[in-house]
């Protein structure tokens, strides 16, 4: 059952190895494992401890774009995003594909750092970007909703807010 999860995983003897961003060993020692599917978990699982140290594996559910979302070429998506968000904000959103600091995003999007900061603030308030302070820098990345918007060029019908 564990190898059927949408995670890169395989058995090595009695050990289940799951691709994880950091080196970590989790020994169950008879405690069981609580599996929690999450729409907001992307590409890799997340482990944590729950009630009285019960290990939890939060794993991504598959993200499907609904069939009624029109498939667009990259240029068509870029134009649709620019019409929706404005050219500069769309460029910042596109620059966020690989994440980065405000300065990095500004360079990739071709805008001033102060403008990139303003755009990421608006995108964060709309739920499209998450920002985390790391020392003196702020690192930005796309949320699942932001990634969907970027991939589709518009919000799929199930994700639009009414």
């Amino acid at each position: 059952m564990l190898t059927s999860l949408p995670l890169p995983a395989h058995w090595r003897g009695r050990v289940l190895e799951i691709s994880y961003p950091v080196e970590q060993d989790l020994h169950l020692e008879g405690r069981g494992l609580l599996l929690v599917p999450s729409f907001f978990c992307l590409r890799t699982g997340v482990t944590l401890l729950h009630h009285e140290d019960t290990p939890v594996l939060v794993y991504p559910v598959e993200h499907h774009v609904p069939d009624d979302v029109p498939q667009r070429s990259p240029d068509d998506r870029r134009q649709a995003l620019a019409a929706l968000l404005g050219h500069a904000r769309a460029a910042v959103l596109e620059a966020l594909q690989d994440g980065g600091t405000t300065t990095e995003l500004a360079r990739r999007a071709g805008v001033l750092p102060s403008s990139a900061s303003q755009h990421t603030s608006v995108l964060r308030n709309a739920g499209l970007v998450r920002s985390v302070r790391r020392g003196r820098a702020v690192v930005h990345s796309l949320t699942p909703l932001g990634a969907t918007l970027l991939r589709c060029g518009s919000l799929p019908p199930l994700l639009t807010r009414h």
Side-chain angles (χ1 to χ4, degrees), residues 54-122:
T54 300
V56 177
L57 175 61
V58 180
Y59 64 92
V61 295
E62 295 197 32
H63 295 85
H64 296 285
V65 175
D67 293 336
D68 56 352
V69 174
Q71 297 301 312
R72 297 183 171 117
S73 71
D75 285 340
D76 288 344
R77 284 195 304 268
R78 195 169 288 118
Q79 288 176 354
L81 284 175
L84 176 67
L85 302 174
H87 290 285
R89 193 159 294 143
V92 170
L93 185 68
E94 191 168 10
L96 277 159
Q97 287 182 89
D98 298 321
T101 65
T102 305
T103 303
E104 292 167 339
L105 297 176
R107 181 181 40 78
R108 281 187 236 145
V111 299
L112 295 172
S114 59
S115 179
S117 179
Q118 179 187 17
H119 291 310
T120 55
S121 178
V122 170

Side-chain angles (χ1 to χ4, degrees), residues 129-146:
V129 172
R130 81 176 53 87
S131 302
V132 177
R133 179 162 292 284
R134 297 235 169 92
R136 294 175 52 193
V138 176
V139 179
H140 309 281
S141 60
L142 291 173
T143 64
L145 182 60

